Amino acid sequence: MRQDERTIVTVLVDNAEAEGLCSEWGLSLLVHTPKARVLLDFGQTDAFALNADALGADLREVDCAVLSHAHYDHADGMGAFFERNEHALLYLSDACAESCWSTGGGSAETHYIGIRPGLLARWADRLCFAPHDRVSSVAPGVHLVPHATPGLEDVGADAGMWLRDGDAWMPDSFAHELTLVVELGIAPDGDLLVLNSCSHAGIGVIVGEVRAAFPGRRIAAYVGGLHLFRADDKEVVEVARAVREAGIGQLWCGHCTGERAIELLRCELPGRISTLRPGLSFEVCTAQSL
């Protein structure tokens, strides 16, 4: 395969440690497709940008950025990106707001986990809001799939995640969460790369939504966090079952997946699991290349 036909994912920041690079609780991925360079998320500080510098990844060459969802550990580094890149737009769900709270982490106290207040207003001229009720595109072969599954507020309530609107509180339905889908190869029925930074709705739900949006397409790889760091073994085994049933070729996971969950996934899905770390760069191949 020619260099200009490859799809390469580079991890700019993750909470795993990597010698000589910054780590933090968060995620930032640079996705280089044959048609575009797309930055998915920014972590919570400028750590991703410092790592990009160390790796020789020029953020000025990024064509567009995508915010996966409205949490601080994916959004708050956006200013460091805009300061380095003067042209790229940031695509985010039109349901994104500075409104996310949590009672998770063993705390009964509600604490703020959303985008740093004032950040969206500060960079308003660089934002492009994607519809939360239909698939949209940000570049040739690069698409955003919102949640279309009803009842996800129950998932939010179970996870202790909430939205605040003035004095009103409601369980988070993750309408602000987007799945990034990249078409691999040039055929209209080619394979897909699916990226979801935290997979709050669950990988089974997300894969179902992608399949509905792109019927008949094989998912060659799924990349991101699986939000299993507090999950019991039964829940992890259910995730493995969903991966098998979906026929996902490779699963690259990190961030909020959790070490225990990753080890169990390795046992359940031998040969399919790889882990993310800052500085890691890998090619995602079509089924014909696997």
Side-chain angles (χ1 to χ4, degrees):
M1 182 178 292
R2 298 202 319 263
Q3 177 72 27
D4 59 358
E5 294 178 345
R6 303 167 67 198
T7 295
I8 306 292
V9 178
T10 300
V11 183
L12 296 185
V13 85
D14 180 81
N15 29 285
E17 293 185 358
E19 186 176 356
L21 295 173
C22 304
S23 300
E24 67 180 11
W25 180 265
L27 190 65
S28 178
L29 304 172
L30 182 60
V31 185
H32 190 173
T33 82
K35 299 293 186 180
R37 294 177 179 88
V38 182
L39 181 66
L40 176 63
D41 290 348
F42 314 95
Q44 58 176 298
T45 69
D46 65 349
F48 80 98
L50 297 175
N51 286 347
D53 293 342
L55 295 168
D58 192 346
L59 294 177
R60 294 173 298 180
E61 295 181 352
V62 170
D63 298 298
C64 64
V66 172
L67 180 63
S68 65
H69 62 290
H71 288 172
Y72 76 99
D73 51 335
H74 299 264
D76 281 4
M78 71 172 70
F81 173 68
F82 291 137
E83 289 168 357
R84 286 165 171 77
N85 183 306
E86 297 180 351
H87 64 89
L89 293 175
L90 168 58
Y91 291 84
L92 65 168
S93 170
D94 61 9
C96 265
E98 297 160 359
S99 60
C100 296
W101 296 71
S102 175
T103 53
S107 171
E109 296 294 327
T110 306
H111 55 281
Y112 187 68
I113 60 170
I115 302 169
R116 186 189 314 140
L119 200 55
L120 296 180
R122 167 69 180 84
W123 299 105
D125 63 332
R126 303 290 297 275
L127 307 182
C128 184
F129 288 95
H132 69 276
D133 57 356
R134 66 181 185 276
V135 177
S136 56
S137 299
V138 300
V142 182
H143 313 283
L144 303 177
V145 178
H147 289 311
T149 304
L152 293 183
E153 60 272 12
D154 294 337
V155 177
D158 289 343
M161 293 185 175
W162 307 90
L163 300 177
R164 182 178 181 179
D165 184 5
D167 293 330
W169 293 85
M170 63 200 78
D172 197 338
S173 66
F174 306 109
H176 56 90
E177 185 171 65
L178 296 168
T179 300
L180 182 64
V181 177
V182 177
E183 298 183 73
L184 302 174
I186 58 175
D189 58 350
D191 296 343
L192 304 174
L193 162 62
V194 176
L195 305 101
N196 191 298
S197 295
C198 278
S199 307
H200 290 109
I203 194 170
V205 166
I206 292 163
V207 165
E209 293 168 343
V210 171
R211 281 179 153 179
F214 300 91
R217 309 284 285 272
R218 180 182 183 273
I219 299 176
Y222 188 107
V223 180
L226 302 183
H227 213 260
L228 296 173
F229 67 106
R230 296 193 189 105
D232 59 27
D233 288 359
K234 180 179 179 181
E235 186 176 351
V236 178
V237 169
E238 284 297 306
V239 167
R241 180 187 59 79
V243 171
R244 280 193 297 269
E245 291 181 354
I248 297 172
Q250 293 291 320
L251 182 60
W252 297 84
C253 51
H255 181 41
C256 55
T257 306
E259 293 182 5
R260 166 65 183 171
I262 289 172
E263 290 308 309
L264 187 51
L265 288 171
R266 288 190 194 278
C267 294
E268 292 288 320
L269 300 166
R272 293 201 212 184
I273 304 299
S274 299
T275 54
L276 304 177
R277 67 179 185 278
L280 176 69
S281 187
F282 56 94
E283 180 180 0
V284 181
C285 301
T286 64
Q288 291 77 17
S289 302
L290 292 173

